[in-house]
Amino acid sequence: MSITEQSPVAPVRFADHTTSRVGGPAAQWLRAETEARAVEAIRAADEAGTALFVLGGGSNTLMADDGFDGLVVQMAFTGIEQLPEAEAEGLADDRVRVRVAAGHPWDDAVAWTVERSLAGVEALSGIPGSAGATPVQNVGAYGADVSQVLHAVRALDRRTGQIVELEAERLRFGYRDSIIKRSMLEHGAASPQWIVLSIDLDLHRPAADGDASAPVRYAQLARALDVAEGTRASLQTVREEVLALRAAKGMVSDPQDPDTWSTGSYFTNPIVPASVRARLPEGAPAFAAGHDDDGVELVKLSAAWLIDHAGFGKGFGLPEVEPREGGPDGRGRDGQGLVGGRASLSTKHTLAVTNRGQASTEDILVIARTVRDGVAERFGVQLHPEPMIVGTAL
Ligand SMILES: Cc1cc2nc3c(=O)[nH]c(=O)nc-3n(C[C@H](O)[C@H](O)[C@H](O)COP(=O)(O)OP(=O)(O)OC[C@H]3O[C@@H](n4cnc5c(N)ncnc54)[C@H](O)[C@@H]3O)c2cc1C
């Protein structure tokens, strides 16, 4: 296999392939238009001991400004189909199984299901990136996550070089977490042990009474739809409302809007012992999150609330945004913005760290560090990054 035949003369930069528009060049870059090409390239890289980075849509990746000294395989193969029942083992009567290729844009897959009145992923409308990356961090939004409908993934196991099928329970999904993601974080690896080639989703067939969505499990969405939480609405309406809610927060990719030049939420919602919640001011949102292995009660806090109440308002880091009472002055010493105004919190949502046009990865990290440290100082709560940070650190 020749990689160089595919590589353009000028090095390919991550900045041109990530939604944050940052990140340096890669030594080698392969855009894999077929699954076979991706598998062949990954196996060859692993056999040769070449560093590997697998890229989907680049919407959850922050690559170092120095770039990546290895091979990038961009998963660019697409395809979506309803599997014949004979091939869909263990499928419940009221479901259909849909297989989506790893490189298929996730939101195109959601639109495809809604057009066919198949319920289950409509609340995940508007999440950028590829279908193959959705199990990596168990993408979720508006009370839904992909683990609720994911039956299995087909994946290349890099330890054996074999293609395997992993059913959902083997992926050990958690909040923005899976065994795939942990295989990177726990070994400091740039890419996971399992490279997802396709995902199988078990979706509800159209209900007899029309195109009903899955039950709406998020108060803000239920209000927007004017339905009670836990009840259903029309699939198309749910999709439209989710897209509208997301757009208002800068959470739908828009090439014209720097508020969306980000990795979405930069921080996950911290899960902490309930005793930590008791120390926070009244009004700090907290949701039951089960118990840890020692039986300690856990709660999930709102990262956005913590950031906001630590004094980091929307647009923090921009020269024209006034400091918040009790918060740091994001305009910087010379009034030019914290990092020259090149990066800031989104002006629509405090959870997104955005590139205002000329940012480097380091600029993004300076904003994120300032926010993380400010929240720790104010509330004693540690925020953790959601995107995969490669070649550098927060
Ligand atoms: C505006 C905006 C809004 C967002 N909103 C949400 C949201 O509501 N909910 C949410 O959960 N996320 C959200 N995100 C984050 C992001 O869109 C998701 O995590 C998405 O699934 C990432 O897909 P990707 O293909 O772009 O991943 P990439 O950035 O290309 O890759 C992310 C990680 O997954 C690995 N990876 C990619 N493809 C594969 C594969 N096929 N097999 C194995 N590993 C792979 C990469 O190596 C990397 O470590 C948002 C991002 C943006 C920019």
Side-chain angles (χ1 to χ4, degrees):
M1 188 219 49
S2 156
I3 289 160
T4 39
E5 87 191 4
Q6 295 269 329
S7 298
V9 178
V12 181
R13 293 179 327 138
F14 275 85
D16 296 325
H17 293 276
T18 54
T19 49
S20 290
R21 303 172 176 219
V22 292
Q28 290 174 293
W29 190 286
L30 176 76
R31 185 179 156 83
E33 306 270 0
T34 63
E35 181 185 296
R37 190 86 174 108
V39 168
E40 178 193 25
I42 294 165
R43 279 186 183 141
D46 283 342
E47 273 164 28
T50 305
L52 173 75
F53 186 77
V54 170
L55 184 73
S59 63
N60 216 26
T61 296
L62 268 186
M63 177 58 70
D65 292 312
D66 287 346
F68 187 68
D69 190 14
L71 170 68
V72 176
V73 175
Q74 193 178 5
M75 308 292 265
F77 49 96
T78 60
I80 181 165
E81 59 172 337
Q82 183 176 327
L83 292 185
E85 269 173 44
E87 285 178 35
E89 224 171 275
L91 186 67
D93 285 347
D94 58 346
R95 305 265 178 142
V96 298
R97 187 162 296 160
V98 171
R99 178 164 291 177
V100 194
H104 205 88
W106 171 251
D107 193 50
D108 290 1
V110 175
W112 188 97
T113 66
V114 170
E115 275 160 28
R116 283 158 185 78
S117 301
L118 303 175
V121 288
E122 58 282 357
L124 302 177
S125 292
I127 298 180
S130 63
T134 58
V136 176
Q137 71 152 2
N138 184 18
V139 297
Y142 296 98
D145 64 43
V146 79
S147 76
Q148 293 164 357
V149 289
L150 189 116
H151 166 69
V153 303
R154 280 176 56 259
L156 175 65
D157 184 341
R158 295 173 59 212
R159 274 209 304 220
T160 60
Q162 299 299 308
I163 293 174
V164 294
E165 179 169 299
L166 299 174
E167 294 203 347
E169 54 270 28
R170 288 205 41 207
L171 298 175
R172 290 196 257 140
F173 284 122
Y175 164 63
R176 297 299 163 272
D177 195 26
S178 75
I179 198 172
I180 307 177
K181 182 170 173 178
R182 266 174 275 154
S183 73
M184 290 184 270
L185 295 181
E186 286 168 8
H187 300 106
S191 286
Q193 177 184 340
W194 297 275
I195 305 303
V196 177
L197 303 173
S198 63
I199 62 172
D200 287 357
L201 306 172
D202 283 0
L203 303 173
H204 281 277
R205 289 178 190 284
D209 55 349
D211 68 338
S213 71
V216 175
R217 297 192 192 90
Y218 199 82
Q220 187 189 32
L221 179 58
R223 276 197 303 277
L225 289 161
D226 202 15
V227 298
E229 231 182 304
T231 61
R232 300 168 194 272
S234 110
L235 275 172
Q236 187 59 40
T237 323
V238 171
R239 175 164 167 77
E240 281 163 17
E241 283 300 340
V242 167
L243 288 173
L245 287 169
R246 294 184 66 94
K249 298 174 189 168
M251 287 292 179
V252 183
S253 281
D254 177 350
Q256 308 305 322
D257 182 0
D259 275 335
T260 72
W261 302 350
S262 71
T263 49
S265 303
Y266 190 90
F267 296 104
T268 52
N269 290 321
I271 296 180
V272 296
S275 55
V276 174
R277 163 68 188 87
R279 295 201 314 258
L280 297 176
E282 223 175 284
F287 306 92
H291 294 82
D292 70 11
D293 293 345
D294 300 324
V296 174
E297 186 190 349
L298 300 173
V299 292
K300 191 199 275 184
L301 305 175
S302 160
W305 188 96
L306 293 166
I307 292 168
D308 203 39
H309 288 76
F312 301 99
K314 292 173 185 167
F316 171 81
L318 290 175
E320 64 275 17
V321 173
E322 293 289 317
R324 294 272 294 269
E325 208 187 318
D329 186 349
R331 292 175 304 181
R333 254 186 242 138
D334 53 4
Q336 297 296 303
L338 196 62
V339 284
R342 293 184 299 274
S344 75
L345 293 186
S346 159
T347 69
K348 298 186 182 72
H349 202 286
T350 54
L351 254 187
V353 182
T354 62
N355 177 355
R356 310 314 292 183
Q358 302 299 322
S360 63
T361 301
E362 194 51 32
D363 291 333
I364 302 262
L365 291 173
V366 168
I367 300 288
R369 266 177 221 135
T370 307
V371 169
R372 177 200 60 188
D373 295 348
V375 166
E377 199 176 306
R378 184 71 169 261
F379 297 120
V381 175
Q382 187 66 34
L383 294 181
H384 297 284
E386 189 184 296
M388 299 307 299
I389 303 170
V390 188
T392 179
L394 178 60

